[in-house]
Amino acid sequence: TQLLEQSPQFLSIQEGENLTVYCNSSSVFSSLQWYRQEPGEGPVLLVTVVTGGEVKKLKRLTFQFGDARKDSSLHITAAQPGDTGLYLCAGVGAGGTSYGKLTFGQGTILTVHP
Amino acid sequence: DAMVIQNPRYQVTQFGKPVTLSCSQTLNHNVMYWYQQKSSQAPKLLFHYYDKDFNNEADTPDNFQSRRPNTSFCFLDIRSPGLGDAAMYLCATSREGGWGTEAFFGQGTRLTVV
């Protein structure tokens, strides 16, 4: 079973602060995705990282995939109240019985106060 | 345009009364997933289809079954819903299981058991 450890589980910050969310595993993933979910809605894909060491930027969000393809991070610069939500990392299994299976971390509930 | 459509958005069922949730996709993806998500938690994979091949998670209760009659449709059957089965149920699809896989989610069906 491939497990993804996401931290922190809860994050409450003031508008304008920076934050980083981590996603770690002992397993190798063929790709890793980050989602944002609003209450009552399904997760919406933010980014997919595929190559070890890859860095992708989406406005104020920076995503990084570890060199060994086992971990990832999401960094938000100058957080805004509109960034509030549940952030989920999910890894796609690279082989064996986990091939193609999308497994989620525990999620991070981010609250940005005005 | 919605690509993964779940019906209904909200479902109320009686304790012990069988219920079926449906998912359809216009993406022609060969992988379809069913997840259970409880409040403020990460989605938990129940099972997934890789084409017609059914893959059940080891800890998915026998109470949960699934059918995939064709590429576009997938159903989640809960044979005897209990109060603990109240949750958001998410359907997702992906093109393949390999490198760079991205999953697309429906808006979910919120199930209430009374």
Side-chain angles (χ1 to χ4, degrees):
Chain A
T1 302
Q2 296 188 306
L3 295 176
L4 271 171
E5 298 288 336
Q6 189 172 342
S7 63
Q9 290 192 39
F10 302 93
L11 200 51
S12 181
I13 61 173
Q14 294 297 125
E15 183 176 2
E17 292 183 9
N18 302 333
L19 67 112
T20 302
V21 179
Y22 299 93
C23 194
N24 297 300
S25 176
S26 58
S27 303
V28 175
F29 293 96
S30 66
S31 67
L32 202 140
Q33 301 168 60
W34 286 91
Y35 295 84
R36 181 167 174 268
Q37 187 176 20
E38 301 270 5
E41 301 291 331
V44 174
L45 179 68
L46 295 174
V47 77
T48 299
V49 285
V50 179
T51 306
E54 183 176 8
V55 176
K56 282 191 174 179
K57 292 193 175 183
L58 188 67
K59 297 183 180 178
R60 293 176 293 102
L61 278 60
T62 301
F63 305 85
Q64 187 163 6
F65 201 15
D67 291 340
R69 314 168 68 89
K70 294 182 179 180
D71 55 88
S72 181
S73 63
L74 158 61
H75 182 78
I76 302 179
T77 304
Q80 299 176 1
D83 296 328
T84 294
L86 174 64
Y87 288 82
L88 296 159
C89 67
V92 178
T97 57
S98 297
Y99 180 74
K101 190 165 74 173
L102 189 68
T103 303
F104 282 88
Q106 299 97 321
T108 296
I109 298 175
L110 171 65
T111 304
V112 182
H113 301 280
Chain B
D1 293 335
M3 297 177 289
V4 183
I5 302 165
Q6 289 188 243
N7 283 304
R9 288 289 308 276
Y10 302 92
Q11 175 74 56
V12 180
T13 190
Q14 291 180 334
F15 182 95
K17 184 176 180 180
V19 65
T20 295
L21 310 181
S22 72
C23 178
S24 64
Q25 55 137 334
T26 60
L27 298 163
N28 203 33
H29 283 173
N30 56 334
V31 187
M32 294 188 78
Y33 311 80
W34 277 106
Y35 290 85
Q36 179 193 65
Q37 186 179 27
K38 298 195 174 180
S39 182
S40 299
Q41 295 181 21
K44 178 182 179 300
L45 182 64
L46 296 173
F47 21 62
H48 73 285
Y49 279 92
Y50 198 111
D51 294 321
K52 294 183 178 181
D53 292 335
F54 177 70
N55 300 274
N56 196 37
E57 291 302 293
D59 57 355
T60 297
D62 292 340
N63 199 23
F64 291 84
Q65 303 286 321
S66 184
R67 296 170 284 136
R68 188 180 186 186
N70 53 53
T71 300
S72 300
F73 287 88
C74 196
F75 300 98
L76 169 61
D77 301 308
I78 309 177
R79 292 192 296 186
S80 182
L83 298 179
D85 296 328
M88 172 79 88
Y89 289 88
L90 296 165
C91 173
T93 73
S94 65
R95 184 176 301 280
E96 293 179 2
W99 304 98
T101 294
E102 295 184 10
F104 295 85
F105 282 84
Q107 290 185 293
T109 295
R110 179 163 297 283
L111 178 68
T112 301
V113 182
V114 299

